[in-house]
Short mmCIF file of all heavy atoms in Angstrom, two decimals:
data_model
loop_
_atom_site.label_atom_id
_atom_site.label_comp_id
_atom_site.label_asym_id
_atom_site.label_seq_id
_atom_site.Cartn_x
_atom_site.Cartn_y
_atom_site.Cartn_z
N TYR A 15 141.37 172.10 -83.52
CA TYR A 15 142.11 171.45 -84.59
C TYR A 15 141.19 171.19 -85.79
O TYR A 15 140.19 170.49 -85.67
CB TYR A 15 142.72 170.13 -84.12
CG TYR A 15 143.25 169.29 -85.27
CD1 TYR A 15 144.34 169.72 -86.01
CD2 TYR A 15 142.63 168.09 -85.62
CE1 TYR A 15 144.81 168.96 -87.09
CE2 TYR A 15 143.10 167.34 -86.69
CZ TYR A 15 144.18 167.78 -87.42
OH TYR A 15 144.64 167.05 -88.48
N TYR A 16 141.51 171.79 -86.89
CA TYR A 16 140.79 171.50 -88.12
C TYR A 16 141.78 171.42 -89.26
O TYR A 16 142.53 172.36 -89.51
CB TYR A 16 139.71 172.56 -88.43
CG TYR A 16 139.05 172.28 -89.75
CD1 TYR A 16 138.14 171.24 -89.89
CD2 TYR A 16 139.39 173.01 -90.89
CE1 TYR A 16 137.60 170.92 -91.12
CE2 TYR A 16 138.83 172.71 -92.13
CZ TYR A 16 137.94 171.66 -92.23
OH TYR A 16 137.40 171.34 -93.45
N ARG A 17 141.82 170.30 -89.94
CA ARG A 17 142.72 170.12 -91.07
C ARG A 17 142.00 170.59 -92.32
O ARG A 17 140.98 170.02 -92.72
CB ARG A 17 143.11 168.64 -91.19
CG ARG A 17 143.83 168.25 -92.46
CD ARG A 17 145.15 169.01 -92.61
NE ARG A 17 146.07 168.33 -93.51
CZ ARG A 17 146.14 168.52 -94.83
NH1 ARG A 17 145.34 169.37 -95.43
NH2 ARG A 17 147.04 167.87 -95.54
N VAL A 18 142.50 171.70 -92.90
CA VAL A 18 141.87 172.24 -94.10
C VAL A 18 142.01 171.21 -95.24
O VAL A 18 143.07 170.62 -95.42
CB VAL A 18 142.51 173.58 -94.49
CG1 VAL A 18 141.94 174.10 -95.79
CG2 VAL A 18 142.31 174.59 -93.36
N ILE A 19 140.92 171.01 -95.98
CA ILE A 19 140.92 169.97 -97.00
C ILE A 19 140.94 170.54 -98.42
O ILE A 19 141.60 170.04 -99.29
CB ILE A 19 139.72 169.03 -96.80
CG1 ILE A 19 139.94 168.24 -95.50
CG2 ILE A 19 139.55 168.07 -97.97
CD1 ILE A 19 138.77 167.42 -95.04
N GLU A 22 137.53 175.39 -98.57
CA GLU A 22 136.42 175.75 -97.70
C GLU A 22 136.64 177.04 -96.92
O GLU A 22 135.70 177.81 -96.71
CB GLU A 22 136.07 174.59 -96.76
CG GLU A 22 137.13 174.17 -95.74
CD GLU A 22 138.09 173.12 -96.28
OE1 GLU A 22 138.41 173.17 -97.47
OE2 GLU A 22 138.54 172.26 -95.48
N GLY A 40 127.17 167.38 -97.04
CA GLY A 40 128.12 166.29 -96.90
C GLY A 40 127.64 165.24 -95.92
O GLY A 40 126.75 165.50 -95.11
N PRO A 41 128.24 164.07 -96.00
CA PRO A 41 127.81 162.97 -95.13
C PRO A 41 128.13 163.25 -93.66
O PRO A 41 128.92 164.15 -93.35
CB PRO A 41 128.64 161.78 -95.63
CG PRO A 41 129.84 162.38 -96.27
CD PRO A 41 129.39 163.70 -96.84
N THR A 42 127.51 162.50 -92.80
CA THR A 42 127.74 162.70 -91.37
C THR A 42 129.19 162.39 -90.99
O THR A 42 129.84 161.54 -91.60
CB THR A 42 126.76 161.81 -90.56
OG1 THR A 42 126.93 162.13 -89.17
CG2 THR A 42 127.02 160.33 -90.73
N GLY A 43 129.71 163.15 -90.02
CA GLY A 43 131.04 162.88 -89.48
C GLY A 43 132.20 163.16 -90.40
O GLY A 43 133.25 162.54 -90.29
N CYS A 44 132.03 164.14 -91.31
CA CYS A 44 133.13 164.43 -92.23
C CYS A 44 133.81 165.76 -91.90
O CYS A 44 134.68 166.21 -92.66
CB CYS A 44 132.65 164.41 -93.67
SG CYS A 44 131.60 165.79 -94.10
N GLY A 45 133.43 166.41 -90.81
CA GLY A 45 134.15 167.61 -90.40
C GLY A 45 133.41 168.93 -90.57
O GLY A 45 133.99 169.99 -90.34
N LYS A 46 132.13 168.89 -90.90
CA LYS A 46 131.40 170.14 -91.12
C LYS A 46 131.31 170.98 -89.85
O LYS A 46 131.62 172.17 -89.86
CB LYS A 46 129.98 169.84 -91.65
CG LYS A 46 129.96 169.05 -92.95
CD LYS A 46 128.54 168.82 -93.47
CE LYS A 46 127.64 167.97 -92.61
NZ LYS A 46 128.09 166.58 -92.42
N SER A 47 130.90 170.34 -88.77
CA SER A 47 130.74 171.11 -87.53
C SER A 47 132.09 171.60 -87.02
O SER A 47 132.22 172.75 -86.57
CB SER A 47 130.08 170.25 -86.45
OG SER A 47 128.78 169.92 -86.83
N ARG A 48 133.09 170.73 -87.10
CA ARG A 48 134.42 171.12 -86.65
C ARG A 48 134.92 172.34 -87.44
O ARG A 48 135.52 173.26 -86.90
CB ARG A 48 135.39 169.95 -86.80
CG ARG A 48 136.81 170.21 -86.38
CD ARG A 48 136.96 170.47 -84.89
NE ARG A 48 136.68 169.30 -84.07
CZ ARG A 48 137.58 168.40 -83.72
NH1 ARG A 48 138.83 168.55 -84.07
NH2 ARG A 48 137.24 167.37 -82.98
N PHE A 49 134.63 172.34 -88.73
CA PHE A 49 135.04 173.45 -89.59
C PHE A 49 134.38 174.76 -89.16
O PHE A 49 135.04 175.80 -89.06
CB PHE A 49 134.69 173.11 -91.05
CG PHE A 49 134.78 174.26 -91.99
CD1 PHE A 49 136.01 174.89 -92.21
CD2 PHE A 49 133.66 174.73 -92.67
CE1 PHE A 49 136.11 175.97 -93.09
CE2 PHE A 49 133.75 175.80 -93.55
CZ PHE A 49 134.97 176.43 -93.76
N GLU A 51 133.20 175.53 -86.21
CA GLU A 51 133.79 175.93 -84.92
C GLU A 51 135.14 176.59 -85.15
O GLU A 51 135.47 177.60 -84.51
CB GLU A 51 133.98 174.71 -84.01
CG GLU A 51 132.69 174.18 -83.42
CD GLU A 51 132.81 172.70 -83.01
OE1 GLU A 51 133.94 172.22 -82.77
OE2 GLU A 51 131.75 172.03 -82.96
N TYR A 104 124.66 178.45 -86.56
CA TYR A 104 124.88 177.23 -87.35
C TYR A 104 123.67 176.34 -87.17
O TYR A 104 123.44 175.82 -86.07
CB TYR A 104 126.16 176.54 -86.87
CG TYR A 104 126.49 175.25 -87.59
CD1 TYR A 104 126.34 175.12 -88.96
CD2 TYR A 104 127.00 174.17 -86.89
CE1 TYR A 104 126.67 173.94 -89.62
CE2 TYR A 104 127.34 172.98 -87.53
CZ TYR A 104 127.17 172.88 -88.90
OH TYR A 104 127.49 171.70 -89.54
N ASP A 106 122.34 173.07 -87.82
CA ASP A 106 122.89 171.77 -88.18
C ASP A 106 121.75 170.84 -88.61
O ASP A 106 120.72 170.80 -87.95
CB ASP A 106 123.61 171.21 -86.94
CG ASP A 106 124.70 170.23 -87.30
OD1 ASP A 106 124.90 169.94 -88.49
OD2 ASP A 106 125.38 169.75 -86.37
N GLU A 107 121.96 170.09 -89.68
CA GLU A 107 120.96 169.14 -90.20
C GLU A 107 119.63 169.83 -90.46
O GLU A 107 118.57 169.38 -90.01
CB GLU A 107 120.77 167.98 -89.21
CG GLU A 107 122.01 167.16 -88.96
CD GLU A 107 122.43 166.31 -90.16
OE1 GLU A 107 121.71 166.31 -91.19
OE2 GLU A 107 123.49 165.67 -90.07
N SER A 149 123.81 173.10 -92.31
CA SER A 149 124.40 171.88 -92.86
C SER A 149 123.29 170.93 -93.24
O SER A 149 122.17 171.01 -92.71
CB SER A 149 125.33 171.20 -91.87
OG SER A 149 124.56 170.45 -90.94
N PHE A 174 131.21 168.93 -98.81
CA PHE A 174 132.23 168.26 -98.01
C PHE A 174 132.23 166.78 -98.34
O PHE A 174 131.22 166.23 -98.74
CB PHE A 174 131.91 168.40 -96.52
CG PHE A 174 132.50 169.62 -95.88
CD1 PHE A 174 132.02 170.87 -96.20
CD2 PHE A 174 133.53 169.51 -94.96
CE1 PHE A 174 132.55 172.01 -95.61
CE2 PHE A 174 134.07 170.64 -94.37
CZ PHE A 174 133.58 171.88 -94.69
N PRO A 177 137.94 162.98 -96.30
CA PRO A 177 139.22 163.40 -96.87
C PRO A 177 139.96 162.25 -97.54
O PRO A 177 139.64 161.09 -97.30
CB PRO A 177 140.01 163.89 -95.66
CG PRO A 177 139.30 163.42 -94.46
CD PRO A 177 137.92 163.02 -94.83
N ILE A 181 145.36 162.62 -95.76
CA ILE A 181 144.81 163.65 -94.86
C ILE A 181 144.02 162.99 -93.74
O ILE A 181 144.10 163.40 -92.58
CB ILE A 181 143.94 164.65 -95.65
CG1 ILE A 181 144.80 165.42 -96.65
CG2 ILE A 181 143.21 165.61 -94.71
CD1 ILE A 181 144.05 166.40 -97.52
N ILE A 185 144.52 163.37 -89.76
CA ILE A 185 143.45 163.81 -88.84
C ILE A 185 143.34 162.83 -87.67
O ILE A 185 143.29 163.23 -86.51
CB ILE A 185 142.10 163.93 -89.58
CG1 ILE A 185 142.14 165.11 -90.56
CG2 ILE A 185 140.94 164.10 -88.60
CD1 ILE A 185 140.94 165.18 -91.51
N GLU A 189 143.95 163.67 -83.79
CA GLU A 189 142.85 163.58 -82.85
C GLU A 189 143.18 162.67 -81.67
O GLU A 189 142.63 162.85 -80.58
CB GLU A 189 141.57 163.10 -83.55
CG GLU A 189 140.92 164.14 -84.43
CD GLU A 189 140.28 165.27 -83.65
OE1 GLU A 189 139.13 165.15 -83.23
OE2 GLU A 189 140.98 166.29 -83.43
N THR A 223 134.70 159.77 -90.76
CA THR A 223 135.94 160.12 -90.05
C THR A 223 135.69 160.07 -88.54
O THR A 223 136.55 159.64 -87.78
CB THR A 223 136.42 161.52 -90.48
OG1 THR A 223 136.48 161.57 -91.91
CG2 THR A 223 137.78 161.85 -89.91
N ARG A 224 134.48 160.50 -88.15
CA ARG A 224 134.16 160.47 -86.71
C ARG A 224 134.32 159.07 -86.13
O ARG A 224 134.94 158.89 -85.08
CB ARG A 224 132.73 160.96 -86.48
CG ARG A 224 132.31 160.87 -85.01
CD ARG A 224 130.84 161.19 -84.81
NE ARG A 224 130.53 162.55 -85.21
CZ ARG A 224 129.60 162.87 -86.09
NH1 ARG A 224 128.87 161.94 -86.66
NH2 ARG A 224 129.40 164.13 -86.39
N LEU A 225 133.78 158.07 -86.84
CA LEU A 225 133.87 156.69 -86.33
C LEU A 225 135.32 156.21 -86.29
O LEU A 225 135.71 155.47 -85.38
CB LEU A 225 133.02 155.74 -87.18
CG LEU A 225 131.50 155.98 -87.15
CD1 LEU A 225 130.78 154.89 -87.94
CD2 LEU A 225 130.97 156.02 -85.72
N VAL A 227 137.90 158.09 -85.76
CA VAL A 227 138.55 158.74 -84.61
C VAL A 227 138.15 158.03 -83.31
O VAL A 227 139.00 157.75 -82.46
CB VAL A 227 138.19 160.25 -84.57
CG1 VAL A 227 138.62 160.88 -83.25
CG2 VAL A 227 138.82 160.99 -85.75
N LYS A 231 140.76 156.05 -80.82
CA LYS A 231 140.90 156.34 -79.39
C LYS A 231 140.88 155.04 -78.59
O LYS A 231 141.66 154.86 -77.65
CB LYS A 231 139.78 157.27 -78.91
CG LYS A 231 139.99 158.70 -79.35
CD LYS A 231 138.91 159.63 -78.83
CE LYS A 231 139.23 161.06 -79.26
NZ LYS A 231 138.11 161.97 -79.10
N1 ADP B 313 139.10 168.18 -91.44
C1 ADP B 313 139.09 167.74 -90.16
N2 ADP B 313 139.96 168.23 -89.26
C2 ADP B 313 139.94 167.78 -87.99
N3 ADP B 313 139.10 166.84 -87.52
C3 ADP B 313 138.21 166.33 -88.38
C4 ADP B 313 138.15 166.75 -89.72
N4 ADP B 313 137.18 166.04 -90.34
C5 ADP B 313 136.66 165.23 -89.43
N5 ADP B 313 137.27 165.38 -88.24
C6 ADP B 313 137.00 164.57 -87.05
O1 ADP B 313 135.75 163.94 -87.25
C7 ADP B 313 134.86 164.25 -86.19
C8 ADP B 313 133.48 164.47 -86.74
O2 ADP B 313 133.47 165.69 -87.43
P1 ADP B 313 132.19 166.67 -87.35
O3 ADP B 313 132.69 168.01 -87.69
O4 ADP B 313 131.49 166.50 -86.06
O5 ADP B 313 131.32 166.04 -88.53
P2 ADP B 313 129.96 166.54 -89.19
O6 ADP B 313 129.58 167.83 -88.54
O7 ADP B 313 130.28 166.65 -90.63
O8 ADP B 313 128.97 165.45 -88.92
C9 ADP B 313 135.44 165.45 -85.50
O9 ADP B 313 135.12 165.44 -84.14
C10 ADP B 313 136.93 165.26 -85.72
O10 ADP B 313 137.45 164.36 -84.76
#
Side-chain angles (χ1 to χ4, degrees):
Y15 168 67
Y16 176 74
R17 169 61 159 90
V18 176
I19 292 171
E22 64 272 35
T42 186
C44 71
K46 302 182 295 297
S47 295
R48 180 66 68 89
F49 168 62
E51 286 157 23
Y104 179 41
D106 206 358
E107 298 290 356
S149 81
F174 271 69
I181 295 178
I185 291 170
E189 286 289 274
T223 308
R224 176 187 298 125
L225 295 185
V227 169
K231 285 182 177 165

